[in-house]
Amino acid sequence: MIYSLISEIVRTTREQEAALGLSGETSRTRFFLHTHPTQKVILFFHGFTAVPQQFVPIAEAFFQAGYNVLVPLLPGHGLAGDWNQDNPPPLPEDISIYQAFAIEWLQYAQQVGETVVVGGLSAGGTLAAWLALEYSRSINRALLFSPYFSNTNPVADWAVQTFDIYFEWKTEPGAVNFGYPGFAMPALRIFLDFGQAILQEAETATVPPLLIVTSERDRAINRQDLEKLFYLALQSQPRCWYLCFDQKLNIQHNMMTKAEGNEHQELVIAIAKAFVNRDLTWTEAIPLVQATAQGEAADNK
């Protein structure tokens, strides 16, 4: 009965995405499902302007470890088209669209696992953080990879808030950009406002254990926001972890795959698996986290 329902979800999702006209196979929602519900199911949200392919390596790692994993395509993302300054991609400019989407996929995840772990990168991490705060009783843990609450440079925040311009990503030589080449600024602006609201909510909210991962080389987010979230959450939830990769590892904002430029992809996967598999308080986890931040992979046995 349960799997007839999820089979219907897979079929419906495939039909809807086929009708949208996606830019390629990498844009499709990814399902990593065993033949039975698992003790934990992982729900990942990819980054702003990106596609589910961004989470395939970590999704495969969790699947091989015995978890069911869902990586849905975010609203307005992954569509085929000649996107440019005169024709920006059709990204939502209303945060409630993302919120409704997250709730819907939380309900889907609950069909294939006893407890839900939610995660995401950048704006996907922001969405995961919101879901963890709003539905803390339904979520076992949250994996937040450089969630976007504000920029490292206040001038950049001012530009995001002020100008309705088109911004084009600059991809490092040899790296892949999964998703749209650029975006209209109002589509990002909603996440800046969203992130600040989440930080305010975290001051009084009940939270599940949070893993917050970032890097000293990440120039896309304000690490002070992430540290604030961590210490706010730690006041009521001692099983929160915070990891900031050392600058020597050169891990940039898009940290989930080697294709996007992270030669230490396995470190991100290792700390995520360690967090999900172990029930350690922050005090107990500090040696493991510090070693991983310096480039030593966590032992997940």
Side-chain angles (χ1 to χ4, degrees):
M1 180 67 177
I2 291 177
Y3 262 62
S4 63
L5 177 58
I6 196 63
S7 295
E8 180 64 17
I9 293 170
V10 173
R11 184 189 65 79
T12 302
T13 301
R14 293 283 181 253
E15 290 180 352
Q16 291 174 343
E17 291 180 350
L20 287 173
L22 300 186
S23 59
E25 286 296 309
T26 59
S27 298
R28 292 175 58 177
T29 291
R30 303 300 295 265
F31 298 90
F32 299 82
L33 299 173
H34 294 277
T35 57
H36 54 84
T38 50
Q39 182 181 10
K40 291 179 182 177
V41 54
I42 319 291
L43 172 62
F44 283 127
F45 298 126
H46 62 77
F48 180 69
T49 75
V51 292
Q53 183 67 25
Q54 189 174 58
F55 272 83
V56 166
I58 194 171
E60 289 179 337
F62 272 108
F63 177 73
Q64 291 168 6
Y67 300 86
N68 284 329
V69 187
L70 307 176
V71 192
L73 176 66
L74 291 178
H77 287 66
L79 305 185
D82 183 17
W83 311 118
N84 52 52
Q85 183 173 353
D86 298 323
N87 184 36
L91 296 165
E93 296 181 12
D94 181 348
I95 201 63
S96 67
I97 295 174
Y98 289 106
Q99 291 172 316
F101 175 86
I103 294 168
E104 179 182 27
W105 279 91
L106 172 60
Q107 294 169 346
Y108 292 163
Q110 290 171 328
Q111 305 302 316
V112 295
E114 295 178 20
T115 57
V116 178
V117 176
V118 65
L121 170 70
S122 192
T126 312
L127 188 60
W130 174 80
L131 198 62
L133 267 61
E134 290 292 318
Y135 293 86
S136 59
R137 292 184 179 181
S138 300
I139 291 176
N140 178 268
R141 277 166 167 69
L143 310 174
L144 310 180
F145 304 105
S146 280
Y148 173 75
F149 299 127
S150 69
N151 291 276
T152 187
N153 186 342
V155 175
D157 284 339
W158 174 77
V160 171
Q161 291 282 24
T162 306
F163 299 110
D164 293 342
I165 59 175
Y166 179 83
F167 180 87
E168 188 167 318
W169 297 115
K170 290 179 173 59
T171 304
E172 294 293 325
V176 172
N177 176 33
F178 289 128
Y180 296 137
F183 59 92
M185 199 62 76
L188 179 62
R189 184 178 303 148
I190 61 172
F191 279 101
L192 181 58
D193 296 336
F194 191 36
Q196 294 307 301
I198 290 170
L199 287 176
Q200 184 173 357
E201 183 179 355
E203 294 179 1
T204 56
T206 299
V207 300
L210 308 179
L211 168 65
I212 303 173
V213 180
T214 189
S215 170
E216 291 181 351
R217 290 284 189 180
D218 189 340
R219 298 293 181 263
I221 53 90
N222 185 345
R223 291 205 310 274
Q224 291 182 350
D225 287 337
L226 308 194
E227 292 166 4
K228 178 180 179 180
L229 176 62
F230 171 67
Y231 285 112
L232 285 172
L234 196 61
Q235 291 178 15
S236 61
Q237 178 49 263
R239 286 171 173 77
C240 292
W241 299 5
Y242 176 83
L243 184 152
C244 183
F245 285 113
D246 191 280
Q247 61 180 350
K248 70 182 181 183
L249 300 176
N250 195 32
I251 296 175
Q252 306 290 329
H253 184 63
N254 287 341
M255 64 176 66
M256 305 311 301
T257 68
K258 289 184 179 179
E260 293 173 291
N262 181 12
E263 292 299 322
H264 302 284
Q265 162 192 298
E266 73 283 353
L267 294 177
V268 177
I269 295 173
I271 196 63
K273 289 176 65 180
F275 181 71
V276 172
N277 292 336
R278 303 185 186 188
D279 196 30
L280 301 181
T281 65
W282 171 235
T283 301
E284 295 167 333
I286 286 175
L288 183 154
V289 170
Q290 290 179 338
T292 306
Q294 294 298 317
E296 299 175 22
D299 180 2
N300 288 297
K301 296 179 181 180

